[in-house]
Amino acid sequence: MLNEFISTPAQLLAHLEALMATSDKNCALMLIGLHGLRRMGRIFGARLSEEILVELLGQIHRALRPDDRILRTGRFEFAVLIPGLLNRGHAVLAVNKLAGILDNPIEIRDKERKLPFSIGLSLSPEHSTDPEQLFRYAEIAVLAAKITQTPYQIYTQDDLAAIVTDWDIEGDLDRAIAQDQLSLHYQPKISSRSGELLGAEALMRWHHPVHGMIPPDRFIPVAERMGIMPKLTWWCLNTALRERIEWGRADAELSVAVNISALDLTDERFIKSVTGALGIWDTRPELLTLEITEGSLMKDIALSATILKRLQSYGIRVSIDDFGTGYSSLSYFKQLPADELKIDRSFILNIPEDDLDKHIVSTIIQMARKLQLDIVAEGVETALMQQILLELGCDIMQGYHIARPMPQADFITWSATHS
Ligand code: C2E
Ligand code: CA
Ligand code: CA
């Protein structure tokens, strides 16, 4: 019953079609995404995450009936097909059973952890008798579960209306700049020791006329696929440098950090567009930091490093973002042009109660110090986290405990009271 190989969508649909044809009762399709396990795999390695996945699949297999099917659809995704259900209530019982299994804490390196997951469920004939539609509805439901952070969601017509698809984003994103729907929010970065405001990170916001606020995590990957990321970065860079001037702090010059995408570093013209923007806004290069995620640097390390080195030679600061989530080792940073390292917030989140994460953060800080990098902790949510990070020797902090990202006008007010 357990399919060891990853099924293609066509194979999944064929199975679904066969099951629906032989069952005269209701069928349920569940799509299960194990995003907690995906994250765990990035930290502890693929072997351990694969072992856990196989164990979980085994437990689910034992909980199911002989006619049910499990198909693995991706590294951290699988589908469960359940035929012969008497009614919707039975589908709910089945999904609760699976959610119960996935919700059990798992022992990872001597520590019990719960790994977040999302299940999306669609039903035949209630939602559709067409396998392809049913699959699409289960995909929408799994997205709805992820967004609402609930263990599972059964497809509803409302989800379809509420969930902004990549298709919608593609259609509208290109016009977003021209129609002035994008803006930047600014989140303060402060000195750990003195509490002094050092600068802010610019974070993009999209106010869609129909769908409301669409988060950057949602539209940036689509922009990357569409190839319009250079345009968005260019907009962001110029807006941030222009708005920075309005911060108007004569006593201390605040720096601004702009996030750049891996794709920006695949074209040497990017260097000109950054230095050009600094010229237009008459800004000293030291006051601009470019944040680039660790993971995206790995794609074409030689070219990215060349471009970053050139930028750095002008005095622009380079920050390695989301540090700890990629696969690189710290020693590798000797070759990278970096001035700052931002420890990913997933490590910061658990430091008050998780000694392992605290140890990881402490090790990163000690090694980064040897490489003479500034160390920023992002996602500082409580006073306790701030205290621990200060003790561990972290230089700069950013997070909800200090301030949330805010619109330009609010940031100006905030900065006036935090010198
Ligand atoms: P990031 O660069 O890691 O940005 C930090 C994210 O963490 C922001 O989410 C911020 O609102 C959130 N955050 C800050 N403090 C806390 C905290 O204490 N707790 C928690 N839980 N979260 C906190 P946001 O604004 O939704 O941005 C998400 C991601 O989208 C960013 O992650 C960045 O990778 C990307 N992004 C945002 N703006 C841009 C942009 O202009 N260009 C590019 N290329 N990427 C951008
Ligand atoms: Ca960032
Ligand atoms: Ca980050």
Side-chain angles (χ1 to χ4, degrees):
M1 176 170 89
L2 175 62
N3 193 332
E4 289 294 336
F5 301 100
I6 294 183
S7 312
T8 63
Q11 287 166 327
L12 177 70
L13 290 179
H15 270 283
L16 202 54
E17 195 156 14
L19 271 192
M20 284 161 72
T22 53
S23 170
D24 54 354
K25 303 199 182 74
N26 296 286
C27 296
L29 168 63
M30 282 181 220
L31 294 180
I32 303 175
L34 301 172
H35 29 93
L37 191 61
R38 182 191 299 279
R39 201 198 131 223
M40 196 231 89
R42 286 197 200 117
I43 299 168
F44 294 103
R47 198 186 303 272
L48 186 59
S49 61
E50 186 64 23
E51 268 171 34
I52 295 172
L53 182 80
V54 169
E55 166 62 24
L56 284 173
L57 284 173
Q59 286 182 28
I60 287 174
H61 183 176
R62 290 190 288 279
L64 294 173
R65 299 171 310 176
D67 288 344
D68 303 341
R69 286 278 172 282
I70 312 179
L71 294 163
R72 189 162 174 188
T73 50
R75 263 193 74 200
F76 298 100
E77 283 105 42
F78 56 100
V80 177
L81 317 180
I82 304 185
L85 292 163
L86 283 178
N87 54 42
R88 189 187 172 97
H90 285 169
V92 173
L93 283 179
V95 72
N96 266 311
K97 195 156 70 176
L98 297 201
I101 293 172
L102 296 173
D103 203 35
N104 278 329
I106 295 170
E107 197 177 301
I108 301 164
R109 301 268 163 92
D110 302 328
K111 204 156 188 92
E112 300 256 290
R113 285 168 196 258
K114 282 195 175 195
L115 298 173
F117 62 91
S118 310
I119 308 179
L121 187 85
S122 61
L123 301 166
S124 168
E126 185 182 325
H127 298 132
S128 175
T129 51
D130 171 22
E132 204 166 336
Q133 277 295 350
L134 209 58
F135 181 63
R136 186 167 158 249
Y137 290 159
E139 278 192 309
I140 290 170
V142 90
L143 213 57
K146 203 166 170 191
I147 291 168
T148 54
Q149 297 188 7
T150 42
Y152 70 86
Q153 285 287 325
I154 301 176
Y155 169 76
T156 69
Q157 197 68 43
D158 293 347
D159 291 337
L160 186 60
I163 287 176
V164 189
T165 61
D166 287 6
W167 182 256
D168 297 317
I169 293 178
E170 283 188 19
D172 300 338
L173 187 54
D174 220 8
R175 284 194 298 274
I177 296 182
Q179 298 184 349
D180 219 16
Q181 293 164 8
L182 296 178
S183 69
L184 292 177
H185 279 197
Y186 295 97
Q187 187 175 36
K189 280 173 148 175
I190 63 161
S191 154
S192 305
R193 272 166 284 276
S194 66
E196 181 198 357
L197 176 64
L198 303 173
E201 175 177 4
L203 294 157
M204 225 189 292
R205 297 292 177 259
W206 181 13
H207 311 264
H208 190 283
V210 177
H211 300 293
M213 182 86 105
I214 302 180
D217 287 340
R218 202 50 204 94
F219 68 82
I220 283 166
V222 182
E224 289 182 336
R225 272 207 308 279
M226 287 168 70
I228 61 165
M229 206 53 221
K231 208 153 105 184
L232 285 191
T233 304
W234 188 86
W235 176 86
C236 193
L237 198 60
N238 280 278
T239 308
L241 291 174
R242 173 168 56 77
E243 295 193 329
R244 197 199 70 85
I245 298 170
E246 296 164 15
W247 295 349
R249 285 271 297 261
D251 52 333
E253 283 199 288
L254 300 177
S255 69
V256 70
V258 170
N259 290 283
I260 60 173
S261 144
L263 292 178
D264 294 319
L265 295 182
T266 56
D267 188 340
E268 300 206 13
R269 278 176 298 183
F270 180 63
I271 303 169
K272 265 230 164 69
S273 87
V274 177
T275 53
L278 286 169
I280 294 170
W281 304 107
D282 194 20
T283 306
R284 282 193 289 117
E286 304 78 52
L287 297 175
L288 174 66
T289 301
L290 298 176
E291 293 192 8
I292 174 89
T293 62
E294 183 201 3
S296 61
L297 271 174
M298 305 304 140
K299 292 193 180 115
D300 183 350
I301 180 71
L303 182 58
S304 316
T306 309
I307 296 178
L308 289 176
K309 267 196 194 107
R310 291 264 305 280
L311 288 164
Q312 219 186 14
S313 72
Y314 291 105
I316 297 158
R317 290 172 45 85
V318 174
S319 171
I320 308 298
D321 205 351
D322 297 349
F323 185 78
T325 56
Y327 294 99
S328 55
S329 69
L330 264 170
S331 58
Y332 162 99
F333 276 84
K334 279 191 292 198
Q335 312 156 33
L336 259 191
D339 302 280
E340 177 184 283
L341 196 148
K342 276 184 112 167
I343 307 172
D344 189 63
R345 65 172 177 276
S346 56
F347 296 106
I348 308 299
L349 187 66
N350 298 320
I351 47 168
E353 60 277 341
D354 191 327
D355 284 342
L356 180 61
D357 279 355
K358 191 166 157 183
H359 188 69
I360 292 172
V361 170
S362 166
T363 309
I364 294 175
I365 292 176
Q366 284 167 37
M367 292 189 67
R369 174 135 302 143
K370 290 209 178 84
L371 296 168
Q372 294 182 310
L373 300 171
D374 284 341
I375 304 138
V376 183
E378 63 174 12
V380 181
E381 291 187 355
T382 64
L384 182 57
M385 288 179 195
Q386 186 168 7
Q387 180 58 34
I388 296 170
L389 285 161
L390 183 62
E391 283 161 14
L392 293 178
C394 170
D395 308 310
I396 301 166
M397 298 199 202
Q398 182 184 349
Y400 293 169
H401 178 63
I402 295 126
R404 293 198 173 236
M406 51 198 137
Q408 164 80 345
D410 295 356
F411 178 70
I412 292 174
T413 313
W414 193 93
S415 72
T417 54
H418 290 78
S419 46

